């Protein structure tokens, strides 16, 4: 249920533009690369947070000294960072569960009209 409501939220237009499919795919592609060989890429899991932070920085502009994010990438970052923190090193099931959660978010984002 959470993935469904979050996926819907990410595609809605309100204060900021919806999260784009390309923003999700960049993160998801990196996650799938890690999942393909978790032992080899285990050290890359914490870097997922940095990659999300970079995406937030790219999507942020400054108006009169105030940071404004054009899309919902900041909310995406804040929520996924919590999940990344629960992926324990060497525990493959944690990574698998996280990947499934992201797959559900992507699916619902698309279902609710995400572009």
């Amino acid at each position: 249920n959470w993935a469904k409501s979050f996926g819907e939220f990410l595609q809605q237009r309100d204060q900021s533009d919806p999260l784009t499919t390309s923003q999700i795919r960049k993160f998801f592609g990196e996650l799938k690369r890690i999942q393909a060989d978790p032992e080899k890429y285990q050290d890359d899991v914490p870097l997922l947070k940095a990659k999300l932070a970079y995406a937030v920085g790219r999507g942020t502009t400054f108006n009169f000294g105030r940071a404004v994010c054009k899309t919902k990438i900041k909310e995406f970052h804040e929520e996924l960072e919590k999940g990344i923190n629960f992926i324990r090193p060497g525990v493959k099931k944690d990574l698998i569960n996280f990947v499934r959660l992201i797959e559900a978010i992507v699916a619902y984002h698309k279902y609710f009209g995400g572009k």
Side-chain angles (χ1 to χ4, degrees), residues 51-69:
K51 290 180 183 282
L52 284 170
Y54 176 75
V56 171
R58 287 198 60 201
T60 302
T61 57
F62 293 89
N63 293 336
F64 303 106
R66 191 171 143 249
V68 177
C69 216

Side-chain angles (χ1 to χ4, degrees), residues 40-79:
K40 181 178 179 181
Y41 298 115
Q42 177 178 314
D43 293 340
D44 290 353
V45 171
L47 294 175
L48 291 170
K49 291 190 273 186
K51 290 180 183 282
L52 284 170
Y54 176 75
V56 171
R58 287 198 60 201
T60 302
T61 57
F62 293 89
N63 293 336
F64 303 106
R66 191 171 143 249
V68 177
C69 216
K70 294 179 263 184
T71 68
K72 293 185 177 169
I73 190 68
K74 184 175 181 186
E75 292 86 344
F76 187 69
H77 167 262
E78 289 169 352
E79 289 301 313

Side-chain angles (χ1 to χ4, degrees), residues 2 5 10 19 22 29 32 35 39 41 45 47 53 63-64 67 72 74 76 81 87 92 97-100 107 113:
W2 177 84
S5 63
L10 291 174
L19 189 70
S22 66
K32 293 299 276 186
Q35 184 191 24
E39 289 79 28
Y41 298 115
V45 171
L47 294 175
N63 293 336
F64 303 106
K72 293 185 177 169
K74 184 175 181 186
F76 187 69
E81 187 173 43
I87 300 173
K92 197 172 183 177
N97 288 337
F98 186 69
V99 170
R100 287 180 179 159

